[in-house]
Amino acid sequence: MALPLERMSVDTVKPGFKCIVLGEQSLLVQCCEELLQRGHQILAVVAEHRRIVDWCDAKKIFHCADFSQLQDIADCDYLFSITNLKMLPDWLLAKARLQAINFHDGPLPRYAGLNAPVWSLLNNESEHGITWHEMAAGADTGPILVSRQFPIVPGETVFSLNTKCYQAALESFVELIERIPLGSLQPQAQDMALRSYFGLSKRPHAAALLDWCQPAATLNRLINALDFGPYPNPFMLPKIDLGDGLLLARAAAVVDSVSAAA
């Protein structure tokens, strides 16, 4: 996703900038509320989620389900990609005169790609993070604008970690849009030697089938990493092989060994 070579200086932007926002989850609505509260103008929202569409109707903001419908819309100062999983074409990025900015639910450059919280838990990381970065050629490769780090606690599930990502994303988005008019953002280039990328086809080993030769803590970590709580699991479910069928493992806990009575 290449950006146009010519860009205006960020210093030229004034309070009340114009923007386009793309995404599908409730974080988009919260970020849009922060934009409106600070006097910024949202030219269009691209989303299919019913809640976002209803919010746009209530706010009288133009919305569409596909970014191809933005061909004729006026250029903006900024484009914000928030929980958007689609690669954006060059012509759309070019509509942002100043910057196209993406939210990523993992720390860059170590967790580029999809399902970063899942892989962070599977890799037994002690902390996770989120990143707001410029959009450039290649997925999640642009300079970092704002980021947050937070600890992963014992018993953390991907549901609880996603909740932390949501909160950190909203708090850091406020910082981002407050620093933009001041011209105080200092983009930091990513060290690509540290980059790891998790693509769409990347999945846990053996389709997340529990291997009883592994330590209990490893199995528990796998189950927690695939525990999306009350939300639909978009990734994969951990499974137990019963020989004549499979049993889904929804939750687990590591306990002390108990020997059978003599």
mmCIF file of all heavy atoms in Angstrom, residues 106-131:
data_model
loop_
_atom_site.group_PDB
_atom_site.id
_atom_site.type_symbol
_atom_site.label_atom_id
_atom_site.label_comp_id
_atom_site.label_asym_id
_atom_site.label_seq_id
_atom_site.Cartn_x
_atom_site.Cartn_y
_atom_site.Cartn_z
ATOM 1 N N GLY A 106 -1.317 -4.964 18.425
ATOM 2 C CA GLY A 106 -0.120 -5.628 18.917
ATOM 3 C C GLY A 106 1.063 -4.676 18.887
ATOM 4 O O GLY A 106 1.019 -3.615 18.250
ATOM 5 N N PRO A 107 2.137 -5.036 19.564
ATOM 6 C CA PRO A 107 3.344 -4.202 19.540
ATOM 7 C C PRO A 107 4.127 -4.427 18.254
ATOM 8 O O PRO A 107 4.376 -5.560 17.859
ATOM 9 C CB PRO A 107 4.140 -4.700 20.763
ATOM 10 C CG PRO A 107 3.702 -6.132 20.928
ATOM 11 C CD PRO A 107 2.275 -6.199 20.459
ATOM 12 N N LEU A 108 4.465 -3.363 17.581
ATOM 13 C CA LEU A 108 5.254 -3.446 16.347
ATOM 14 C C LEU A 108 6.708 -3.100 16.638
ATOM 15 O O LEU A 108 6.994 -2.298 17.527
ATOM 16 C CB LEU A 108 4.677 -2.487 15.302
ATOM 17 C CG LEU A 108 3.276 -2.825 14.781
ATOM 18 C CD1 LEU A 108 2.790 -1.741 13.825
ATOM 19 C CD2 LEU A 108 3.247 -4.193 14.106
ATOM 20 N N PRO A 109 7.621 -3.766 15.915
ATOM 21 C CA PRO A 109 7.398 -4.638 14.741
ATOM 22 C C PRO A 109 7.259 -6.137 15.069
ATOM 23 O O PRO A 109 7.127 -6.951 14.164
ATOM 24 C CB PRO A 109 8.682 -4.399 13.933
ATOM 25 C CG PRO A 109 9.732 -4.183 14.983
ATOM 26 C CD PRO A 109 9.044 -3.419 16.087
ATOM 27 N N ARG A 110 7.252 -6.506 16.347
ATOM 28 C CA ARG A 110 7.342 -7.920 16.716
ATOM 29 C C ARG A 110 6.068 -8.710 16.464
ATOM 30 O O ARG A 110 6.110 -9.933 16.289
ATOM 31 C CB ARG A 110 7.736 -8.032 18.202
ATOM 32 C CG ARG A 110 9.165 -7.563 18.481
ATOM 33 C CD ARG A 110 9.509 -7.564 19.942
ATOM 34 N NE ARG A 110 9.262 -8.866 20.543
ATOM 35 C CZ ARG A 110 8.399 -9.065 21.534
ATOM 36 N NH1 ARG A 110 7.685 -8.051 22.004
ATOM 37 N NH2 ARG A 110 8.239 -10.265 22.045
ATOM 38 N N TYR A 111 4.925 -8.046 16.442
ATOM 39 C CA TYR A 111 3.667 -8.758 16.244
ATOM 40 C C TYR A 111 2.828 -8.113 15.149
ATOM 41 O O TYR A 111 1.706 -7.667 15.379
ATOM 42 C CB TYR A 111 2.886 -8.846 17.560
ATOM 43 C CG TYR A 111 3.399 -9.959 18.446
ATOM 44 C CD1 TYR A 111 4.416 -9.731 19.357
ATOM 45 C CD2 TYR A 111 2.897 -11.244 18.338
ATOM 46 C CE1 TYR A 111 4.915 -10.756 20.156
ATOM 47 C CE2 TYR A 111 3.376 -12.276 19.127
ATOM 48 C CZ TYR A 111 4.386 -12.029 20.036
ATOM 49 O OH TYR A 111 4.875 -13.051 20.803
ATOM 50 N N ALA A 112 3.393 -8.054 13.946
ATOM 51 C CA ALA A 112 2.654 -7.548 12.792
ATOM 52 C C ALA A 112 1.707 -8.633 12.290
ATOM 53 O O ALA A 112 1.881 -9.818 12.569
ATOM 54 C CB ALA A 112 3.626 -7.139 11.690
ATOM 55 N N GLY A 113 0.667 -8.198 11.570
ATOM 56 C CA GLY A 113 -0.269 -9.156 11.001
ATOM 57 C C GLY A 113 -1.545 -9.280 11.807
ATOM 58 O O GLY A 113 -1.996 -8.329 12.449
ATOM 59 N N LEU A 114 -2.133 -10.482 11.791
ATOM 60 C CA LEU A 114 -3.452 -10.714 12.374
ATOM 61 C C LEU A 114 -3.370 -11.476 13.697
ATOM 62 O O LEU A 114 -2.414 -12.206 13.955
ATOM 63 C CB LEU A 114 -4.317 -11.504 11.382
ATOM 64 C CG LEU A 114 -4.516 -10.870 10.009
ATOM 65 C CD1 LEU A 114 -5.272 -11.822 9.098
ATOM 66 C CD2 LEU A 114 -5.239 -9.538 10.113
ATOM 67 N N ASN A 115 -4.398 -11.270 14.528
ATOM 68 C CA ASN A 115 -4.561 -12.028 15.776
ATOM 69 C C ASN A 115 -3.368 -11.888 16.716
ATOM 70 O O ASN A 115 -2.956 -12.846 17.382
ATOM 71 C CB ASN A 115 -4.811 -13.506 15.473
ATOM 72 C CG ASN A 115 -5.998 -13.729 14.559
ATOM 73 O OD1 ASN A 115 -7.116 -13.363 14.895
ATOM 74 N ND2 ASN A 115 -5.762 -14.311 13.389
ATOM 75 N N ALA A 116 -2.824 -10.687 16.796
ATOM 76 C CA ALA A 116 -1.640 -10.455 17.626
ATOM 77 C C ALA A 116 -1.832 -10.863 19.088
ATOM 78 O O ALA A 116 -0.933 -11.479 19.678
ATOM 79 C CB ALA A 116 -1.211 -8.992 17.523
ATOM 80 N N PRO A 117 -2.987 -10.551 19.728
ATOM 81 C CA PRO A 117 -3.146 -10.967 21.125
ATOM 82 C C PRO A 117 -3.087 -12.485 21.314
ATOM 83 O O PRO A 117 -2.535 -12.974 22.311
ATOM 84 C CB PRO A 117 -4.525 -10.410 21.505
ATOM 85 C CG PRO A 117 -4.720 -9.245 20.595
ATOM 86 C CD PRO A 117 -4.104 -9.682 19.299
ATOM 87 N N VAL A 118 -3.646 -13.237 20.371
ATOM 88 C CA VAL A 118 -3.598 -14.699 20.449
ATOM 89 C C VAL A 118 -2.151 -15.180 20.435
ATOM 90 O O VAL A 118 -1.725 -15.979 21.291
ATOM 91 C CB VAL A 118 -4.372 -15.345 19.284
ATOM 92 C CG1 VAL A 118 -4.126 -16.859 19.250
ATOM 93 C CG2 VAL A 118 -5.862 -15.055 19.406
ATOM 94 N N TRP A 119 -1.368 -14.700 19.491
ATOM 95 C CA TRP A 119 0.010 -15.161 19.360
ATOM 96 C C TRP A 119 0.885 -14.704 20.518
ATOM 97 O O TRP A 119 1.819 -15.399 20.924
ATOM 98 C CB TRP A 119 0.586 -14.717 18.020
ATOM 99 C CG TRP A 119 -0.097 -15.378 16.881
ATOM 100 C CD1 TRP A 119 -0.937 -14.823 15.953
ATOM 101 C CD2 TRP A 119 -0.053 -16.778 16.570
ATOM 102 N NE1 TRP A 119 -1.405 -15.771 15.086
ATOM 103 C CE2 TRP A 119 -0.888 -16.984 15.435
ATOM 104 C CE3 TRP A 119 0.603 -17.873 17.130
ATOM 105 C CZ2 TRP A 119 -1.056 -18.238 14.869
ATOM 106 C CZ3 TRP A 119 0.426 -19.124 16.562
ATOM 107 C CH2 TRP A 119 -0.387 -19.300 15.449
ATOM 108 N N SER A 120 0.587 -13.540 21.052
ATOM 109 C CA SER A 120 1.325 -13.064 22.215
ATOM 110 C C SER A 120 1.138 -14.003 23.402
ATOM 111 O O SER A 120 2.093 -14.338 24.115
ATOM 112 C CB SER A 120 0.866 -11.651 22.577
ATOM 113 O OG SER A 120 1.655 -11.104 23.609
ATOM 114 N N LEU A 121 -0.100 -14.473 23.611
ATOM 115 C CA LEU A 121 -0.364 -15.423 24.693
ATOM 116 C C LEU A 121 0.267 -16.782 24.403
ATOM 117 O O LEU A 121 0.862 -17.409 25.291
ATOM 118 C CB LEU A 121 -1.870 -15.574 24.900
ATOM 119 C CG LEU A 121 -2.594 -14.378 25.521
ATOM 120 C CD1 LEU A 121 -4.097 -14.613 25.525
ATOM 121 C CD2 LEU A 121 -2.096 -14.122 26.937
ATOM 122 N N LEU A 122 0.138 -17.265 23.175
ATOM 123 C CA LEU A 122 0.722 -18.554 22.825
ATOM 124 C C LEU A 122 2.236 -18.552 22.987
ATOM 125 O O LEU A 122 2.842 -19.582 23.317
ATOM 126 C CB LEU A 122 0.353 -18.921 21.389
ATOM 127 C CG LEU A 122 -1.106 -19.326 21.146
ATOM 128 C CD1 LEU A 122 -1.344 -19.551 19.654
ATOM 129 C CD2 LEU A 122 -1.459 -20.581 21.929
ATOM 130 N N ASN A 123 2.855 -17.415 22.765
ATOM 131 C CA ASN A 123 4.309 -17.299 22.892
ATOM 132 C C ASN A 123 4.756 -16.996 24.313
ATOM 133 O O ASN A 123 5.944 -16.737 24.555
ATOM 134 C CB ASN A 123 4.839 -16.235 21.938
ATOM 135 C CG ASN A 123 4.715 -16.656 20.483
ATOM 136 O OD1 ASN A 123 4.650 -17.845 20.179
ATOM 137 N ND2 ASN A 123 4.678 -15.689 19.579
ATOM 138 N N ASN A 124 3.783 -16.985 25.249
ATOM 139 C CA ASN A 124 4.095 -16.809 26.681
ATOM 140 C C ASN A 124 4.813 -15.489 26.956
ATOM 141 O O ASN A 124 5.754 -15.424 27.768
ATOM 142 C CB ASN A 124 4.934 -17.979 27.187
ATOM 143 C CG ASN A 124 4.868 -18.132 28.702
ATOM 144 O OD1 ASN A 124 3.890 -17.721 29.332
ATOM 145 N ND2 ASN A 124 5.893 -18.722 29.284
ATOM 146 N N GLU A 125 4.357 -14.425 26.292
ATOM 147 C CA GLU A 125 4.929 -13.104 26.537
ATOM 148 C C GLU A 125 4.522 -12.594 27.917
ATOM 149 O O GLU A 125 3.459 -12.948 28.438
ATOM 150 C CB GLU A 125 4.453 -12.122 25.467
ATOM 151 C CG GLU A 125 4.863 -12.478 24.050
ATOM 152 C CD GLU A 125 6.317 -12.192 23.753
ATOM 153 O OE1 GLU A 125 7.061 -11.790 24.673
ATOM 154 O OE2 GLU A 125 6.719 -12.385 22.592
ATOM 155 N N SER A 126 5.361 -11.754 28.485
ATOM 156 C CA SER A 126 5.053 -11.163 29.792
ATOM 157 C C SER A 126 4.318 -9.835 29.657
ATOM 158 O O SER A 126 3.765 -9.328 30.636
ATOM 159 C CB SER A 126 6.339 -10.946 30.591
ATOM 160 O OG SER A 126 7.215 -10.064 29.902
ATOM 161 N N GLU A 127 4.313 -9.264 28.445
ATOM 162 C CA GLU A 127 3.579 -8.027 28.198
ATOM 163 C C GLU A 127 3.104 -7.993 26.753
ATOM 164 O O GLU A 127 3.586 -8.729 25.891
ATOM 165 C CB GLU A 127 4.427 -6.796 28.518
ATOM 166 C CG GLU A 127 5.634 -6.615 27.624
ATOM 167 C CD GLU A 127 6.378 -5.324 27.947
ATOM 168 O OE1 GLU A 127 6.118 -4.725 29.008
ATOM 169 O OE2 GLU A 127 7.207 -4.913 27.115
ATOM 170 N N HIS A 128 2.131 -7.133 26.515
ATOM 171 C CA HIS A 128 1.570 -6.950 25.179
ATOM 172 C C HIS A 128 1.471 -5.454 24.942
ATOM 173 O O HIS A 128 1.865 -4.644 25.795
ATOM 174 C CB HIS A 128 0.204 -7.634 25.073
ATOM 175 C CG HIS A 128 -0.327 -7.726 23.682
ATOM 176 N ND1 HIS A 128 0.310 -8.425 22.683
ATOM 177 C CD2 HIS A 128 -1.443 -7.185 23.105
ATOM 178 C CE1 HIS A 128 -0.375 -8.334 21.568
ATOM 179 N NE2 HIS A 128 -1.441 -7.584 21.785
ATOM 180 N N GLY A 129 0.937 -5.058 23.812
ATOM 181 C CA GLY A 129 0.804 -3.639 23.535
ATOM 182 C C GLY A 129 -0.015 -3.387 22.290
ATOM 183 O O GLY A 129 -0.430 -4.313 21.600
ATOM 184 N N ILE A 130 -0.250 -2.104 22.016
ATOM 185 C CA ILE A 130 -0.957 -1.689 20.809
ATOM 186 C C ILE A 130 -0.162 -0.574 20.142
ATOM 187 O O ILE A 130 0.700 0.060 20.772
ATOM 188 C CB ILE A 130 -2.399 -1.231 21.104
ATOM 189 C CG1 ILE A 130 -2.430 -0.048 22.091
ATOM 190 C CG2 ILE A 130 -3.198 -2.392 21.661
ATOM 191 C CD1 ILE A 130 -2.366 1.321 21.462
ATOM 192 N N THR A 131 -0.468 -0.321 18.869
ATOM 193 C CA THR A 131 0.305 0.646 18.099
ATOM 194 C C THR A 131 -0.588 1.422 17.141
ATOM 195 O O THR A 131 -1.441 0.836 16.468
ATOM 196 C CB THR A 131 1.391 -0.074 17.264
ATOM 197 O OG1 THR A 131 2.113 -0.995 18.079
ATOM 198 C CG2 THR A 131 2.351 0.927 16.650
#
